[in-house]
Amino acid sequence: MGAIDWLDDGTLDTQRRWQGRTPNESFLRWASVRSEADKAGLKGLFGHFGSKPGEPDALVARRALMLFMKADKAPDAVVLIRDSDADPRRRLGLEQARDDGRWPFQVVIGVAEPKRECWVLTGFEARAHEEKALDELEQRLSFHPVRDAHRLTASEHGAKNDAKRALKELMSEDPERERECLRDTPLASLQAQGSKVGLSKFLEEVRQRLVPVVSGTSPAP
């Protein structure tokens, strides 16, 4: 919001609306894209991206963008958010899909390294009653779970360095506490601390591609 001087917490929700394919959905699930594309008649979307084969997520992202392009009212922007699961090719795949066509909307990419929980941890600042849990977690991991959130790479749920487990130990599955970490932490802090978990790149994408849409200064995509 710092990039748009007239926008604040009280007006943000009047300037945006999150939705999936229909107004009744707040987002489109990645797992639903293929079936939704088949229902919409978007079949046979294979092949290369330019002269290169598709990287992971390139095809599903292209299908998703085509679904939004066929909507009754195309959105002003589509945000593609994905966990990398420690696979750097996923970002390449999303970029391939974005570069594949001239979409009638801005396409913003966010890839959490390796999980979206690491973004939340980046904005975590322990309160008095949370300091003990943070100390215990740091001792168990042998690294700081906030400064080194990118090291929470376990793919097995509940493993020692599982990002979801770390988040649960610190915030006791309190969704409002998780939202506070990203909503209330200054953007400059998130930008500085989020370079290793993909958050800084996402914030830069928002600044370059989404802020102009909201401010009304966006050029044609």
Side-chain angles (χ1 to χ4, degrees), residues 4-134:
I4 306 177
D5 54 13
W6 52 263
L7 191 63
D8 57 34
D9 287 337
T11 60
L12 179 59
D13 286 335
T14 68
Q15 302 298 317
R16 70 166 185 202
R17 180 179 66 185
W18 297 105
Q19 83 171 56
R21 288 203 67 213
T22 70
N24 297 325
E25 302 168 319
S26 58
F27 62 94
L28 174 64
R29 294 181 180 276
W30 287 104
S32 303
V33 168
R34 182 167 187 170
S35 62
E36 291 291 328
D38 287 347
K39 283 190 243 178
L42 299 174
K43 298 182 179 180
L45 297 178
F46 300 100
H48 283 46
F49 291 77
S51 60
K52 298 180 179 180
E55 297 287 355
D57 287 342
L59 178 58
V60 67
R62 179 164 64 185
R63 283 176 169 152
L65 294 175
M66 292 190 73
L67 280 170
F68 284 112
M69 190 170 66
K70 287 176 65 70
D72 292 338
K73 182 181 182 302
D76 295 309
V78 174
V79 183
L80 302 175
I81 299 289
R82 203 71 160 128
D83 288 346
S84 77
D85 291 325
D87 186 348
R89 297 175 301 162
R90 281 193 162 180
R91 170 174 285 279
L92 297 176
L94 298 184
E95 290 173 347
Q96 282 181 313
R98 177 165 66 187
D99 297 340
D100 187 52
R102 187 170 176 81
W103 308 108
F105 37 67
Q106 289 290 348
V107 180
V108 181
I109 292 173
V111 179
E113 304 282 358
K115 302 281 186 182
R116 73 97 191 162
E117 288 82 6
C118 296
W119 284 7
V120 179
L121 288 168
T122 294
F124 177 77
E125 185 173 344
R127 296 170 179 171
H129 68 281
E130 297 168 332
E131 290 177 353
K132 180 180 178 182
L134 178 60

Side-chain angles (χ1 to χ4, degrees), residues 157-175:
H157 182 63
K160 179 179 179 179
N161 62 333
D162 173 29
K164 289 182 173 60
R165 178 180 173 183
L167 200 67
K168 180 178 179 180
E169 290 182 17
L170 290 177
M171 303 181 206
S172 304
E173 296 184 305
D174 181 352

